[in-house]
Amino acid sequence: MDTDRERHRARETAFYLFTQQSLPACKPVLTPGWVIAIFLFMGVIFIPVGLISLRASHCVVEIVDRYDIDCVPEPSRMDKVSYIQDDSIPKNCSHFMKPVPPITWKVSCISPYAEPYTFSSAVITRHYTAVKTATEYVKSRSDKQLLDGQKYHDTSSCQPVESNNNRPIVPCGLIAWSLFNDTFEFIREGAELKVNRKNIAWKSDRGHKFGKNVYPFNFQNGTLIGGGKLNPEIPLSDQEDLIVWMRTSALPSFRKLYGRIEEDLDVDDVVVVNLMNNYNTYSFGGKKKLVLSTSSWLGGKNDFLGHACVFVGCSSLTLAIIFMLLHVKYRRPYGDMSYLPWNRKSFSG
Amino acid sequence: MARGRIRAKLRKSHLYSFCLFRSSGSGGQSIGGPGFSRTVYCNEPQVLNQKPYRSNIISTTKYNFFSFLPKALYEQFHRVANLYFLGCAIASLTPLSPFSPVSMIAPLAFVVGLSMAKEGLEDWRRFMQDREVNSRKVHVHNEEGGFGKKTWEDVRVGDVVKVEKDQFFPADLLLLSSNYEDGICYVETMNLDGETNLKAKKALEATLGLDEDDNFNNFKGIIKCEDPNPSLYTFVGNLEYEGKVYAIDPTQILLRDSKLRNTEFVYGVVIFTGHDSKVMQNSTRSPSKRSRVEKKMDYIIYVLFSVLLVISLISSFGFAVEIKYSMPVWWFMRPQDADEYYSPKKPVISGLSHMVTALMLYGYLIPISLYVSIEVVKVLQATFINQDIQMYDEDTGIPAQARTSNLNEELGQVDTILSDKTGTLTCNQMDFLKCSIAGIPYGVSPSEVELAAAQQMANDQEDQGELKTLVASKKEKAHKSPIKGFNFEDNRLMNGNWLKEPTAARIMLFCQILAVCHTAIPELNEETGNYTYEAESPDEGSFLVAARELGFEFFQRTQSSVFVREKYTASGKPIEREYKILNVLEFTSKRKRMTVIVRDEEGQILLLCKGADSIIFDRLSKDGKLYLEDTTRHLNDYGEAGLRTLALAYRKLEESEYTAWNNEFQKAKTSIGADRDAMLENAADMMERDLFLVGATAVEDKLQKGVPQCIDKLAQAGLKLWVLTGDKMETAINIGFACSLLRQGMKQICITESGSEDKQEVKEDILKQITNGLEMIKQENDPHAAFALIIDGKTLAYALEDDMKLKFLGLAVECASVICCRVSPKQKALVTRLVKQGTGKTTLAIGDGANDVGMIQEADIGVGISGVEGMQAVMASDFSVSQFRFLERLLVVHGHWCYKRIAQMICYFFYKNIAFGLTLFYFEAFTGFSGQSVYDDWYMLLFNVVLTSLPVMSLGVFEQDVSSEVCLEFPAVYQQGPRNLFFDWYRILGWMGNGLLCSLIIFFINIIILYDQAFRAEGQTADLAVLGTTMFTCIVWSLNCQIALTMSHFTWIQHVTIGGSIAAWYIFLLIYGALSPRISGDAYQILVEALAPAPIYWQTTLLATIACTLPYMAHIAYQRCFEPEDHHIIQEIKYYRKDVEDQHMWTRERSKARQKTKIGFTARVDAKIRQVRAKLNKKQ
């Protein structure tokens, strides 16, 4: 008896069941009930999510202003490249931005961001088109050097901007070398708008990725000067422009955060931008734009997300309805024997 | 001393005088000519040194120590995929690679290494087996004049060897002499042709004197003979001995791998050694087999490779254009300093180098991890096959074994099974079951067929009282101790009760025929005191056992007499009777009868005859037909029950009549010349006439356990079964009946050779028979009509010739069952090849003996029966089971599962890699074909290793569409495999399309959402790392959700692997983000700081995942609703527990599930029911 029971128990052990491929299993079957319920559920989830996203997106106000052509003086417009490359010509430029538009979708914007028609915060991004993601370019940097500075000697990854006078350039690499160097000042009604340029980079980047004791002492000292220069007195961890720039964008056309305007703008406010148009996009036909945008909990203006969610939700609902109709019309009794192959054959034969 | 005793005991050779002496006239002239150049100097090893023949070492290995590495590597890189991966691995060493070399080389090394290790292990096994064979010992005559032991490998051509009882012959030998004075010996050729009955071989008269060790000191002789060839049944040569030339024919040749039986020893000269021997010439190299799915996968690889090439070309072209036209103006790239790959001056070089980069970058389309995963999954599947307790034979303790894991899924696609008979279907044991004496049937034990039919009918709940009692009687009998070869039960005959029967005299005569008319030798079993019989065929043995059990114990045979002890006599005391044997007329397949003429103690001369009923019935006298009608009816019944029948008859002879005939017969016997056979035949024929029919016997060729049921199930699963046997046609047909491959009412198409000399004539005749057969099938109107094709080896030799084989195959596939008898091992292989190549379907060969090796190797899947003596079949096989009946589970359960698992797994694998790989391409296209990958290197590395590998492997190892019980209940579900429903192009392309769709959805959702707008409330925009990570998150989610939708069987393993994979991604991100930025780069703190707090990240993930799975879900939901497949319905039945609620319906459906099969029990029962109905209709 005892041995019998033991054997029985042994047979029931998980390992035995495992080797015999008879572990307890859940075998869900997609019955029409489940199918319709799942599609309905997805529809019910996605449509509201989409609508909420759309609302958030509509609350965002965005002013895009292209300045790369306007900021080249009329006579030089024929040959913008030589204009931008000529260091002797001052590059400052004053530019009127479009007036701040009203928020289009009034109802939606009783938002945490103060009352309508004002911007609780503005995000300035610059925008330019360029092929900036070639492998060679993206790889031309040294994360170790950025953190450790000269202590880290191997800058071979920074080809072709690796060293100058046998000393590694800090920060080395093409990305840093082609640092964006247009600067902006905003004036509203004669007074300067304060732009907060702190905390535009990720905190972890500032804290752990760019060295606190690494100074760009020999940056842009070579024969070829690329983009912007850095103040050699300030450690890399505080050069937020560089930190933002070093985050390579995914696509050739991209925006980068420049700073935050922490004052509210009113509708129809006209903002004058005084900018230094230093950066050469003319060689490769790139555009430069200045973007003023508010942000919502979702980020910038992003209608697509909401539309896509609504679309998926609607598709789900439609499918649910279609299946419901199909099921009503062509009801197939589930687990019906007559559908088994041998029975079906006898019908046809 | 021992020898003397044996000689005194028996000289039986004259029994064979009739059939063995045949002159070998034809071969003589050609000796010495081309093809007949071999010269063997007997017993003169020093002469041989001048003209060496191959040594006796055999090697069946593919590789040796030195050639293993190059050859095995060559084999591996013969595969397109591996070659591609090798190219990638080499390219990864150059600076062009987007990945680190380790990530390319390590998986390749794993795949190639594993495959090579498997090859090596198999070869090692073969090597060990060879070594065991080569080091067997045999007595060889040495120069000192004695016989010393030598290993087989040292045996040379021309050596004189002495082989003792139950030993194998080390090479092909010329028989010189045996312990019997007339040079007879008995051999068992099981390993050559699968036949278990003993064959007699006879030495030349001239060499009979060489029967002592000492006689060989001065023995010299020269054998001139044919060159090595694979024909087992022919031999042409002659022996020059003591100045005379003697012709040698096949009866003097002892073949390697056959066994000496019933003979104490023989002497022989080695003629063919090692690979020259006939059996080795018959062997074929073991091929490496690949499954159909895997072969198809090659085509998918080609398709994907083309896609890969196209997108790489697009990429490289785009890149070259960018380099040429854009690079000069990209000052930020410092074009003047750029190395040659980026130099605008050499766009072609840039383009070409980018091509290499692109080929590797998009290498995800052809995933090496697929090969790794498949290898691993198959090994695990094989482990499950090995572990299956229901394929474990408790009697022998041998489990089923998957000896190679390459073919698991092929098991699910088998269309035709080619089976050996002896040892596979049958136990090679005959049981005397029934008999009909003087028109009265005896024997109540049911045959297996009857039993199964009864059970079936009982299940069908029809009134079958009679059959029910049969079942009951079988149950009662279970406790009776069985006597081997005897399963007869009838109180009217047993225990001497026959004396009380009215026909006692006939019964006695019947038993006398059984006890006297045979050529067996009795052996006293010391332990039990019973006699066992060494008979030429097992049914002869069973007759003797039956006679013994009925009270006529044959206990001694002398040169001239047979002694029978009669236990039950009128007086009550046992009597020993002596029957003087006057003549024996042998059984041959042509004569189909055997006759002895004896003189009993009263001096009466009796002719006792047993033979095939048709032959005997033709030879009855007018009076002898007394019981003809009844006996014929009984014979039909027996035949229907799958029993093997013989009719028994006798005739009383007058002294004068006999003497006259005997003179004639002796004259014929001593005559020399071509017509000797015919004369003997005529003489025999003259005597075997005017017989008196006594009765008939029915012997059951004992099938192995569960064989009929298994065949039935396999037939229901839609599999065709061909039986290829070395046995005689009658035996084969009987077995056909026993395992329900044949049944009464089935139209048998027998194709036989006409026996004409002219080859062309024979061929034409056979062709005509085949055409007739086809015509017959075409003209048949009855839908239930079934045809059986029976063909013998000689005919098959013609039918397999190139110009006829397709016709033959055409006929064969039209027939419900095919039985080939008397086929040689090579023919078995040829038939297998014909079926394999002719029909293009998957074949499975199953066998147990060395004679099946060719067939096992040739078939797509070879299955060996383990647990029997020889291991050759198992060694050559891909799977081994210990019983035929386990084949059902192996195919219907494991085969079905493995096929679906592998098919689904491969489809999913391509889906997932396309979905992933194409996103890389789109990103390329969006970024000016820069060669930059959107994902971090680590993500890409982990993608196939951790993040998506385990769920797909759990799909490959654990998925079950329906449970094993359901598979067995509904064998018809198996048809999904042979019809290849789960790996057809429709499905494959569907999955690929799904992958394409998925890649598009994921890429564009991510790109549009994240390309320039801030993704955080704080205004940060997405950089490469953020976009890549978000996109990758979407991929991980989508792919894992997708696989959850494909699975239908979730144990905790699936839950853990799927959930775990998704969790692993986040865990990885956390860990990777927590590492120093020196390692993680832009991914530093990416989840914690950048992504997790952004609602858009989660929303995008959810959106992309659902959007990806929505189309597939709609598809499967639609399919299940409106075009359900077989397994869907069964799943639903199980899901709604309909089977439990409605038992009756369930059983009814189960019986319906049996396809309209034309073979198997079910078919037989159906046929019977139809018969009964027809009868009823007539009555009405």
Side-chain angles (χ1 to χ4, degrees), chain B residues 908 946-952 954 1033 1036-1037 1039-1045 1047 1050-1068:
Chain B
Y908 174 78
V946 179
L947 300 175
T948 55
S949 64
L950 289 178
V952 70
S954 71
T1033 311
V1036 169
W1037 269 98
L1039 299 190
N1040 283 304
C1041 288
Q1042 180 79 46
I1043 201 162
L1045 283 178
M1047 284 181 182
F1050 292 87
T1051 64
W1052 61 267
I1053 299 169
Q1054 278 89 342
H1055 290 301
V1056 166
T1057 49
I1058 296 175
S1061 294
I1062 297 172
W1065 163 239
Y1066 290 109
I1067 293 167
F1068 161 76

Side-chain angles (χ1 to χ4, degrees), chain B residues 33 56 129 138 181 203 222 292 340 358 394 473 509 554 659 665 732 745 798 825 880 885 1002 1030 1109 1115:
Chain B
N56 203 29
Q129 195 193 9
V138 67
E181 253 168 21
I222 297 172
R292 215 152 278 254
E340 58 179 324
E394 293 200 342
S473 75
L509 196 56
F554 161 59
T659 327
F665 185 66
Y798 293 109
S880 71
R885 68 190 147 103
I1002 289 178
T1030 313
T1109 45
H1115 168 74

Side-chain angles (χ1 to χ4, degrees), chain A residues 20-21 26 53 62 131 135 148 203-204 209 224 247-248 255 260 280 295 300 332 335 337 342, chain B residues 331-332 336 387 389 901 930 960 970 1013-1014 1017-1018 1021 1023-1024 1050 1078 1082 1089 1099 1120 1132 1145:
Chain A
Q20 297 311 309
Q21 308 193 54
C26 116
S53 308
E62 189 182 65
V131 178
T135 342
D148 299 331
K203 193 167 156 252
S204 62
K209 219 166 151 189
L224 266 175
R247 282 264 175 190
T248 35
R255 296 180 186 186
R260 299 188 183 91
N280 177 9
S295 76
R332 176 170 81 82
M337 296 296 177
W342 41 95
Chain B
W331 60 266
F332 55 87
Q336 59 279 19
Q387 292 284 336
I389 199 89
R901 287 168 179 174
S930 59
Q960 299 175 8
F970 294 100
Q1013 286 290 354
E1018 294 81 35
T1021 54
D1023 64 339
L1024 187 60
F1050 292 87
R1078 292 182 190 90
D1082 279 348
E1089 192 180 11
Q1099 225 175 320
R1120 186 181 276 278
E1132 283 158 15
M1145 178 275 313

Side-chain angles (χ1 to χ4, degrees), chain B residues 211-277:
Chain B
D211 58 352
E212 299 273 346
D213 285 5
D214 304 336
N215 295 358
F216 285 93
N217 291 344
N218 300 316
F219 169 67
K220 294 275 180 297
I222 297 172
I223 299 167
K224 289 185 175 160
C225 65
E226 60 185 11
D227 289 339
N229 65 65
S231 168
L232 290 177
Y233 304 113
T234 62
F235 184 84
V236 179
N238 58 32
L239 169 70
E240 280 178 50
Y241 177 57
E242 291 173 340
K244 284 185 189 162
V245 178
Y246 304 92
I248 305 171
D249 67 33
T251 50
Q252 279 103 44
I253 302 299
L254 307 173
L255 297 175
R256 187 186 168 118
D257 273 4
S258 50
K259 203 180 199 178
L260 186 65
R261 295 291 301 272
N262 277 7
T263 315
E264 286 307 308
F265 60 85
V266 293
Y267 292 103
V269 181
V270 176
I271 301 176
F272 296 124
T273 46
H275 288 278
D276 289 342
S277 60

Side-chain angles (χ1 to χ4, degrees), chain B residues 999-1114:
Chain B
S999 66
L1000 286 168
I1001 291 174
I1002 289 178
F1003 181 78
F1004 285 102
I1005 283 184
N1006 277 284
I1007 284 291
I1008 297 174
I1009 290 176
L1010 292 176
Y1011 82 107
D1012 63 354
Q1013 286 290 354
F1015 74 104
R1016 293 272 303 251
E1018 294 81 35
Q1020 288 97 336
T1021 54
D1023 64 339
L1024 187 60
V1026 167
L1027 178 73
T1029 311
T1030 313
M1031 210 188 278
F1032 203 82
T1033 311
C1034 294
I1035 284 179
V1036 169
W1037 269 98
S1038 307
L1039 299 190
N1040 283 304
C1041 288
Q1042 180 79 46
I1043 201 162
L1045 283 178
T1046 29
M1047 284 181 182
S1048 53
H1049 182 86
F1050 292 87
T1051 64
W1052 61 267
I1053 299 169
Q1054 278 89 342
H1055 290 301
V1056 166
T1057 49
I1058 296 175
S1061 294
I1062 297 172
W1065 163 239
Y1066 290 109
I1067 293 167
F1068 161 76
L1069 268 188
L1070 282 177
I1071 294 172
Y1072 190 48
L1075 292 176
S1076 153
R1078 292 182 190 90
I1079 300 163
S1080 55
D1082 279 348
Y1084 181 66
Q1085 296 289 358
I1086 192 157
L1087 182 66
V1088 177
E1089 192 180 11
L1091 292 176
I1096 209 168
Y1097 168 70
W1098 302 105
Q1099 225 175 320
T1100 310
T1101 309
L1102 183 68
L1103 177 69
T1105 308
I1106 298 299
C1108 276
T1109 45
L1110 205 61
Y1112 181 74
M1113 212 167 122

